[in-house]
């Protein structure tokens, strides 16, 4: 099982650990993909900038996986 993401996880780490999270971020209109600040910006900071609920985003991101069999993937959310 993958370690849970937290408010202090950087956006770059989210995308590295859970590639399917890119879709979640884009669905929230968070344009973090390819952003030069992503290696330094935490999920908490990104949520504040984009006006997204940190609690809701973390719940959604933590339910995504890397797509391994037996795991829940983004299409099931």
């Amino acid at each position: 099982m993958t370690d849970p993401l937290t408010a202090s996880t950087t956006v770059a780490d989210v995308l590295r650990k859970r590639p399917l999270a890119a879709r979640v971020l884009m669905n929230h209109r968070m344009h973090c993909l390819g952003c030069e600040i992503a290696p330094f910006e935490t999920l908490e900071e990104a949520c504040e900038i984009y006006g997204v609920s940190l609690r809701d985003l973390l719940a959604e991101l933590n339910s995504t996986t890397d797509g391994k069999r037996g795991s829940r993937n983004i299409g099931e959310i």
Side-chain angles (χ1 to χ4, degrees):
M1 179 169 223
T2 309
D3 291 334
L5 303 173
T6 67
S8 62
T9 305
T10 65
V11 173
D13 282 344
V14 170
L15 296 170
R16 182 178 49 78
K17 292 177 181 179
R18 308 223 180 131
L20 294 175
R23 179 180 278 171
V24 174
L25 295 176
M26 292 305 292
N27 285 344
H28 287 279
R29 302 188 193 291
M30 299 175 79
H31 306 283
C32 301
L33 307 171
C35 177
E36 294 177 4
I37 299 174
F40 313 103
E41 188 170 57
T42 65
L43 286 174
E44 182 175 28
E45 293 166 334
C47 283
E48 188 174 314
I49 290 166
Y50 287 102
V52 173
S53 165
L54 176 62
R55 185 189 67 190
D56 293 346
L57 183 66
L58 282 173
E60 193 171 351
L61 288 171
N62 280 314
S63 70
T64 64
T65 66
D66 58 7
K68 291 181 181 174
R69 190 173 64 172
S71 298
R72 210 171 154 197
N73 68 38
I74 195 74
E76 298 173 325
I77 296 174

